[in-house]
């Protein structure tokens, strides 16, 4: 109890124990409420005013409450950081950017500097170093992880070594950012991945800064778990993208050019513009035996669309490659392929047209065989367009394939067009739902009389693309076989692109 001048009038036993000197704390000033510290405890003081202008102050120890509030605030901040970190890390499936983000966030919120180390590639470690307030720096280093206590274990995914066990003075030079100053404390923690370790995170603090507490080390592990998951996902995505790209190259239609004195050109457009492969395909296999040898052109359309259909086209193309020694007998080739595709558990079929082409003087001799496929169209020099009289049943449905082969001769400047039904059945036009149709295709080909193969397929694909506009469509593929007439200019050095670009 204090008088009007602040002198102590009375104190109970608890007050005397709290204030051995008998004087009130400096922070106990006017007002009805005050807060402050006495020793290592914090208190709230509440005043009761009396008529004689004396005041009784009651002290309430709120140390534990404040500690709980502070702990809650810290946990909320950390939870928010982990959420923001997860969003930032998972926003990119690029491994380099993930490492940059992890190093920058760790330096910003957990330490004065952070080093993110990825698993080695041929004994060289990708490293990202970030100092607080500075941009991350990437490098690839060769070092012995045993130089840093706990680093070799962290890179293998083992639990971290406590920070107090690591002597900062023993840290190698490569671990110290340039101009960082003297190291005061180090934390080394693994970056857990998806099944395999994603690397290690090293946190650095300067001398003079508080050492890492147990709670901070635990939080560093939580942060590292999110960073490691994101890095692992980015690495898996990169590996899968690389594998997909490698496989895709084998599934894409090849670039066609002049083979054995015969011009070949092709164009392909998948049903989905976001995909690169689909159910239509073509190949040209040069014949063995010199300039006059027969080359085999194949155009096909398998059931389905997208990658699943592309896998089947890959199987068909590989099988046909193996059947090239019997290419002089189209029906035999189709039946051997049919044996591979017929399966009582899966209905997988395809339509095909085989075209064997050989130069004979100035002319080109063709043998054409269709198996459930639209008949090829021949474009004569005078603009006449003739269907080829060949037909047969689907490949992959019946126990055997029955097909007829037709012989065609192309004079110089004449062409034969192989196409899939994605061209003729393309819906669009002024009314939006009209099929392109064979009659329209024939009129387009009549305008191509005397044109080189590359110009013909480009013209057909362009007209089909204009017809459908932005509407859905099936896979579309065309191949032109032309008997050259003198010299002419072609699109790119006589070579045809294997893909149509809208």
């Amino acid at each position: 109890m204090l008088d009007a001048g602040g002198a102590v009038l009375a104190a109970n036993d608890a007050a005397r124990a709290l204030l051995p000197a008998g004087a009130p704390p400096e922070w106990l000033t006017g007002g009805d409420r005050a807060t402050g510290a006495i020793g290592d405890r914090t208190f709230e003081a509440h005043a009761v005013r009396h008529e004689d202008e004396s005041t009784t102050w009651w002290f309430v120890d709120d140390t534990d409450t404040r500690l709980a509030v502070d702990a809650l605030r810290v946990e909320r901040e950390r939870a928010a950081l982990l959420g923001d970190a997860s969003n930032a890390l998972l926003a990119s499936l690029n491994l380099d950017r993930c490492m940059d983000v992890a190093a920058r966030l760790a330096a910003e919120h957990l330490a004065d500097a952070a080093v993110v180390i990825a698993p080695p590639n041929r004994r060289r470690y990708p490293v990202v170093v970030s100092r607080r307030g500075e941009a991350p720096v990437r490098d690839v280093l060769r070092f012995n992880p045993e130089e840093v206590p706990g680093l070799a274990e962290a890179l293998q995914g083992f639990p971290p070594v406590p920070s107090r066990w690591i002597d900062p003075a023993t840290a190698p030079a490569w671990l110290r950012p340039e101009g960082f100053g003297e190291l005061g404390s180090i934390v080394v923690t693994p970056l857990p991945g998806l099944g395999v370790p994603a690397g290690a995170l090293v946190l650095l603090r300067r001398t003079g800064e508080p050492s890492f507490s147990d709670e901070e080390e635990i939080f560093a592990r939580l942060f590292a778990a999110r960073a490691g998951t994101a890095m692992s996902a980015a690495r898996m995505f990169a590996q899968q993208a690389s594998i997909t790209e490698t496989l895709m190259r084998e599934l894409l239609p090849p670039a066609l050019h002049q083979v054995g004195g015969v011009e070949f050109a092709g164009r392909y457009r998948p049903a989905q513009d976001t995909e690169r492969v689909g159910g239509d395909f073509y190949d040209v296999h040069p014949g063995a035996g010199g300039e006059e040898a027969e080359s085999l052109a194949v155009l096909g359309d398998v059931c389905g669309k997208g990658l699943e259909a592309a896998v089947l086209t890959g199987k068909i193309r590989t099988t046909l490659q193996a059947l090239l020694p019997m290419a002089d007998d189209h029906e035999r080739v189709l039946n051997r392929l049919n044996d591979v595709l017929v399966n009582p558990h899966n209905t997988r079929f395809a339509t095909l047209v085989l075209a064997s082409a050989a130069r004979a003087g100035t002319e080109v001799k063709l043998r054409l065989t269709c198996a459930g496929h639209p008949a090829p169209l021949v474009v004569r020099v005078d603009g006449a367009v003739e269907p080829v009289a060949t037909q047969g049943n689907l490949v992959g449905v019946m126990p055997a394939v029955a097909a007829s082969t037709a012989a065609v001769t192309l004079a110089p400047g004449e062409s034969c067009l192989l196409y899939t039904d994605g061209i003729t059945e393309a819906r669009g036009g002024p009314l939006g739902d009209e099929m392109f149709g064979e009659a329209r295709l024939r009129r387009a080909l009549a305008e191509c009389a005397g044109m080189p193969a590359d110009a013909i397929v480009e013209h057909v694909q362009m007209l089909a693309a204009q017809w459908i506009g932005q509407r859905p469509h099936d896979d579309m593929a065309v191949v032109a076989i032309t008997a050259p007439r003198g010299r002419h200019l072609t699109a790119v050095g006589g070579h045809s692109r294997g893909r149509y670009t809208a």
Side-chain angles (χ1 to χ4, degrees):
M1 179 182 290
L2 305 178
D3 64 14
V8 176
L9 298 176
N12 62 11
D13 292 341
R16 284 190 291 270
L18 182 65
L19 303 167
E26 295 180 357
W27 50 265
L28 195 66
T29 57
D32 293 331
R33 185 173 179 272
T35 59
I38 301 175
D40 59 354
R41 310 291 292 181
T42 60
F43 293 85
E44 284 187 355
H46 301 269
V48 179
R49 306 295 179 182
H50 303 294
E51 292 181 358
D52 60 358
E53 296 186 353
S54 63
T55 304
T56 301
W57 287 93
W58 298 90
F59 288 77
V60 179
D61 187 338
D62 68 346
T63 305
D64 293 337
T65 301
R66 287 182 179 273
L67 289 175
V69 170
D70 290 343
L72 180 60
R73 175 184 54 78
V74 170
E75 289 304 317
R76 283 176 174 171
E77 290 175 354
R78 288 176 174 175
L81 170 59
L82 290 177
D84 293 343
S86 296
N87 292 336
L89 289 164
L90 295 174
S92 171
L93 286 175
N94 180 281
L95 179 58
D96 289 340
R97 284 198 287 272
C98 272
M99 292 178 66
D100 287 353
V101 170
R104 178 177 57 79
L105 290 176
E108 235 176 77
H109 300 283
L110 307 180
D112 297 320
V115 182
V116 175
I117 306 170
N121 181 15
R122 297 180 181 178
R123 299 183 181 180
R124 296 175 67 86
Y125 293 83
V127 173
V128 175
V129 180
S130 180
R131 293 174 58 176
R132 184 177 297 171
E134 298 182 7
V137 177
R138 298 178 196 163
D139 204 350
V140 178
L141 303 176
R142 186 188 292 272
F143 57 80
N144 181 5
E146 299 288 349
E147 296 174 339
V148 181
L151 180 56
E153 292 80 4
L155 288 168
Q156 296 178 51
F158 292 113
V161 172
S163 174
R164 61 184 179 274
W165 292 7
I166 303 175
D167 182 3
T170 63
W174 64 264
L175 193 62
R176 304 167 184 260
E178 186 176 351
F180 182 74
E182 187 177 356
L183 284 177
S185 55
I186 301 175
V187 166
V188 178
T189 188
L191 292 168
L194 302 173
V196 295
L201 172 66
V202 181
L203 303 178
L204 309 173
R205 279 185 180 165
R206 297 183 181 90
T207 298
E209 297 290 335
S211 298
F212 291 100
S213 66
D214 291 342
E215 291 77 11
E216 287 176 321
E217 290 191 46
I218 292 172
F219 182 69
R221 294 181 212 169
L222 295 175
F223 175 86
R226 284 159 173 77
T229 299
M231 287 171 55
S232 186
R235 181 177 287 108
M236 289 177 62
F237 177 80
Q239 291 172 345
Q240 291 172 357
S242 176
I243 293 171
T244 301
E245 179 66 26
T246 301
L247 295 175
M248 202 73 76
R249 284 198 297 267
E250 296 300 317
L251 295 175
L252 287 173
L256 304 185
H257 52 88
Q258 191 171 110
V259 178
V262 181
E263 280 188 24
F264 294 93
R267 290 290 185 279
Y268 168 68
R269 181 175 182 177
Q272 301 295 328
D273 290 336
T274 55
E275 297 178 352
R276 300 172 61 191
V277 294
D280 289 3
F281 68 95
Y282 55 77
D283 278 305
V284 173
H285 304 281
E291 189 75 13
E292 303 296 323
E294 271 192 338
S295 298
L296 179 66
V298 182
L299 180 79
D301 182 359
V302 307
C303 62
K305 298 177 183 178
L307 186 58
E308 183 178 354
V311 171
L312 181 55
T313 70
K315 181 175 183 178
I316 293 175
R317 292 170 69 184
T318 302
T319 304
L320 290 172
Q321 179 78 33
L323 296 175
L324 286 179
M326 58 182 71
D328 58 333
D329 187 341
H330 289 183
E331 191 169 357
R332 186 183 177 195
V333 169
L334 293 172
N335 274 285
R336 296 293 77 77
L337 175 62
N338 188 72
D339 293 341
V340 173
L341 296 184
V342 170
N343 188 324
H345 304 291
N346 295 303
T347 304
R348 302 189 302 173
F349 60 87
T351 69
L352 288 171
V353 56
L354 306 181
S356 293
R359 187 73 177 263
T362 60
E363 298 178 333
V364 170
K365 301 292 185 180
L366 291 178
R367 293 186 301 111
L368 298 132
T369 306
C370 282
H373 201 86
L377 298 174
V378 174
V379 186
R380 299 300 183 184
V381 175
D382 59 2
V385 179
E386 307 167 357
V388 178
T390 172
Q391 58 183 0
N393 54 291
L394 298 171
V395 179
V397 177
M398 304 295 291
V401 174
S404 60
T405 299
V408 173
T409 299
L410 301 179
E414 296 182 338
S415 300
C416 179
L417 185 79
L418 317 180
Y419 62 95
T420 60
D421 59 11
I423 297 289
T424 52
E425 295 180 4
R427 292 186 176 274
L431 300 179
D433 195 39
E434 183 182 358
M435 287 201 302
F436 189 75
E438 186 176 328
R440 190 171 280 103
L441 175 60
R442 291 192 186 193
R443 288 197 297 272
L445 290 176
E447 300 171 357
C448 298
M451 293 172 60
D454 199 65
I456 294 174
V457 294
E458 183 72 25
H459 183 65
V460 171
Q461 276 284 29
M462 180 187 68
L463 291 178
Q466 291 175 344
W467 184 258
I468 60 176
Q470 300 300 316
R471 301 175 185 87
H473 59 87
D474 199 354
D475 298 320
M476 297 187 292
V478 290
V479 170
I481 306 170
T482 301
R485 181 173 62 179
R487 295 189 177 185
H488 53 260
L489 297 176
T490 55
V492 185
H495 292 257
S496 163
R497 299 188 304 276
R499 177 169 172 76
Y500 169 80
T501 302

